[in-house]
Amino acid sequence: MADSCKPTMIANNGVMEHEFHLAEIDTDFGERIEYLKRSGYVLLCLFCREDYATRDLFRLTYIFESQENRRIYEMEYETSSDAISIAEKFPTASLYEREITDGFGILFRGSFDTRRLILHVAYPKDFHPLKKSFCNGPINVREIVPEEELYKFRRLDGKGVYEVAVGPVHAGIIEPGHFRFSVIGEAIFNLETRLYYLHRGIEKLAEGKIPAECLKIAESISGDESVANAVCFCLAAEKIAGIRPPLRAETLRGIALEMERICSLLSDCAGMLTDVAYPVGASRFMALKEECMRMNRKLFGHRFIRDYITIGGVSGDIGSTDLLLLELFADRIGESVKEAYDSAINSSSVIDRLATTGIIRQSLIRPLNLTGPAARSSGSRRDVRTDYPYGIYNHHTPVVPSHDAGDVLSRFMQKAEEIQASARFIKGITGEMPAGEIKTSGPDIYDDGCAFAMVEGARGQNLHYLEIRDGKIWRYKVRTASFTNWLSIEHAVIGNIVPDFPVINKSLNLSYAGNDL
């Protein structure tokens, strides 16, 4: 093959089960997809990159997982113009395929949805920003768009059916997103989401930069996932560089990851209680979040832990006095969260609004690749930290709670328990803090190479792919948990009433920024 770069999964101790590379004319593609579907594999990611040696050739990279065997299966498909859609067998592939069509202009034969995804109608018709031939700069948007090119929402007609449109501009200080409900009486029987109003060109922005420069981009993807995305990027860069952080650095990274998780989940719990008009309980969780963010500022120099994760380790140590304070703090946070949680679930009005609301069925977890607390509150036991350990999780295994009911109450319980589990984990690794260096030096110039990395963020599974050519980034692909988890809300609202949508939405707390890359 012209391209010698074969990605390796690095977020675990295992290896790729298979690496198949298929030419456009390869007749085995459909058979292999059928085998993967029949064998229960899950589609983790699908993305495109231009071939480095042959610029008129594109490589589609498919990443599947066998959840029973904890195996990753990677397959490449070469094409110059089009490919076969696999969305009929793997539903989430539709999102990836639409993303690739927008970014690279590749069409997918047999696709059931060919609408734009990341590019809205104002962009020029033949505008494909992820091609190497496109240079970042001002774009002449279209002021008049033909009727046939406008985005067509699913329209459901019938007696008594009416539509409720929410967004894309919202009353709060959140990013835009459009939600189109179809309702009969009070019950919702269809919801379609429309995102990407603030597509930022993150992946294009990374091209041509050295890894240290791209790290700044990675931690800016989503404000409350700064550490998770920075660590994920660094794992990929470190694999290519052939280095590994010292154990003390991995431990410090673990503390930062779990503190970020606690902050995010505290906000989720507060948001759910706010949306059911229980501000007394919400204020307790928000007060605890503020304490955590102040502790972040003290330990890491930044409330959102920016500029702390570096390639090869971390940028600063935590002294013994602060480690003792952290250990006491973890104890106190765990106890305080339990008290706030107990108080909330003893309120009949809270239980009335949360129980049986917004159920995500367990049968949706695999086909939609749902991850994180959203999946674990519906019966999943999956967590990247335990399934594919990385960093400190190779030495200390976190406790991962789970629930089965799948409603908003389960998600509230799940997140409160995960906060307590993270607090106990921090206390455990802080008490066994190893001595040593906090950083391993990386190369000044990186050799050519590429790698995958996967981490568990507060919302679930984040995946990064990094490819370096001539010391610069050739392709950087990011897929956060929100990309596929957003699909869950379209199912969770069915049968509920429109006034329950805010609390269902908040219980999932999906990221617009982490989705609109």
Side-chain angles (χ1 to χ4, degrees), residues 4 39 94 120 142 191 196 209 246 270 278-279 320 326 355 422 487:
S4 61
S39 302
S94 177
H120 285 251
R142 297 187 293 179
L191 167 63
Y196 282 102
K209 290 181 168 52
Y278 192 66
S320 56
L326 176 61
S422 289
L487 294 171

Side-chain angles (χ1 to χ4, degrees), residues 356-365 368 370 373-375 377-379 403-408 411 485 487-493 496 504 507-508 510:
T356 72
T357 301
I359 295 174
I360 298 174
R361 300 191 306 275
Q362 187 173 356
S363 60
L364 293 172
I365 293 174
L368 300 185
L370 305 181
S377 57
S378 293
H403 291 268
D404 296 320
D407 56 2
V408 174
R411 292 192 281 279
N485 280 3
L487 294 171
S488 67
I489 198 169
E490 296 185 357
H491 298 270
V493 300
N496 292 265
I504 297 171
S507 73
L508 295 166
L510 303 169

Side-chain angles (χ1 to χ4, degrees), residues 27-253:
T27 58
D28 292 339
F29 180 79
E31 294 178 6
R32 286 174 180 159
I33 292 298
E34 181 62 40
Y35 163 78
L36 292 169
K37 175 65 176 178
R38 191 171 59 251
S39 302
Y41 279 77
V42 174
L43 178 66
L44 295 188
C45 192
L46 162 60
F47 63 94
C48 180
R49 58 194 175 96
E50 282 190 42
D51 184 81
Y52 181 72
T54 310
R55 302 299 173 87
D56 59 350
L57 190 66
F58 298 92
R59 297 183 180 278
L60 300 177
T61 300
Y62 298 77
I63 307 174
F64 296 92
E65 179 193 23
S66 171
Q67 296 188 343
E68 284 76 11
N69 302 323
R70 304 294 190 265
R71 289 290 206 176
I72 304 297
Y73 179 109
E74 181 260 335
M75 184 167 65
E76 285 195 350
Y77 184 87
E78 297 178 357
T79 183
S80 58
S81 59
D82 60 7
I84 302 170
S85 173
I86 67 169
E88 289 287 351
K89 292 182 171 58
F90 296 94
T92 57
S94 177
L95 292 177
Y96 296 112
E97 290 171 358
R98 291 164 63 192
E99 181 183 43
I100 291 169
T101 298
D102 284 356
F104 293 90
I106 295 173
L107 302 177
F108 287 85
R109 303 189 301 275
S111 173
F112 59 75
D113 190 350
T114 58
R115 297 173 297 175
R116 287 187 172 188
L117 184 73
I118 65 174
L119 302 179
H120 285 251
V121 294
Y123 286 102
K125 187 174 181 179
D126 296 321
F127 173 65
H128 303 296
L130 288 179
K131 284 185 173 182
K132 296 297 179 183
S133 57
F134 171 75
C135 295
N136 274 337
I139 302 166
N140 294 321
V141 297
R142 297 187 293 179
E143 296 183 3
I144 300 177
V145 180
E147 176 71 22
E148 63 272 13
E149 292 185 33
L150 295 177
Y151 190 88
K152 300 295 192 303
F153 284 92
R154 292 190 298 267
R155 186 172 182 84
L156 303 176
D157 296 316
K159 186 176 181 180
V161 177
Y162 64 97
E163 289 186 341
V164 177
V166 179
V169 178
H170 301 281
I173 49 171
I174 59 174
E175 299 94 332
H178 184 75
F179 303 91
R180 183 74 61 93
F181 297 90
S182 295
V183 184
I184 298 179
E186 292 186 331
I188 302 166
F189 73 97
N190 184 69
L191 167 63
E192 184 171 2
T193 59
R194 174 71 163 133
L195 305 173
Y196 282 102
Y197 286 88
L198 287 182
H199 177 61
R200 295 169 290 159
I202 292 290
E203 294 170 2
K204 188 69 176 182
L205 185 62
E207 291 180 4
K209 290 181 168 52
I210 62 173
E213 294 172 330
C214 189
L215 176 57
K216 299 288 187 183
I217 297 173
E219 70 175 6
S220 301
I221 289 170
S222 180
D224 59 356
E225 297 176 283
S226 297
V227 180
N229 283 315
V231 168
C232 201
F233 175 85
C234 287
L235 287 172
E238 287 157 5
K239 176 63 177 180
I240 296 172
I243 62 174
R244 181 169 179 172
L247 183 56
R248 186 176 181 90
E250 290 187 334
T251 306
L252 293 169
R253 281 184 178 182

